[in-house]
Amino acid sequence: LQPTQILIVQSKETKELLSDKAMLGIGNQFRVKDAPAIAVFLADLEISHRIDRVEKLERDSQTRDPNYMNVMPIAASFLTGEGHAATF
């Protein structure tokens, strides 16, 4: 499970919108608008609410090893802070 994504934005309109709305300082607003592309980092802070959907998508795709799929719910509980390993 990777609760993060990186989007590469090249659209002039989207870069302008992000530069105005992303709480950037004046210098960074200019850089975002001027850059040929920017990377936007996204994090899913509530991945535990979507584990069932992620597991279903993985099972439906039939691309994962069955052993991986058997361990996935247990591993997910630790990685999302719901298992004992994540609570120290």
Side-chain angles (χ1 to χ4, degrees):
L1 293 171
Q2 296 292 328
T4 56
Q5 295 180 357
I6 303 171
L7 301 178
I8 303 300
V9 178
Q10 296 176 308
S11 161
K12 181 178 178 177
E13 296 80 19
T14 304
K15 290 187 298 179
E16 287 183 16
L17 181 65
L18 286 170
S19 73
D20 293 337
K21 304 289 184 186
M23 295 173 31
L24 300 172
I26 281 282
N28 285 334
Q29 286 178 342
F30 171 76
R31 288 180 186 94
V32 166
K33 290 177 185 177
D34 192 50
I38 61 168
V40 177
F41 292 77
L42 308 168
D44 186 344
L45 301 178
E46 296 183 351
I47 188 70
S48 62
H49 297 277
R50 288 171 273 290
I51 293 296
D52 292 340
R53 181 170 182 265
V54 170
E55 185 177 357
K56 181 182 181 333
L57 290 170
E58 291 280 11
R59 287 193 190 281
D60 290 350
S61 73
Q62 298 180 350
T63 58
R64 295 286 187 175
D65 182 275
N67 292 324
Y68 172 86
M69 293 309 302
N70 291 335
V71 174
M72 185 178 173
I74 297 166
S77 72
F78 288 110
L79 296 172
T80 60
E82 295 171 0
H84 296 291
T87 58
F88 303 103

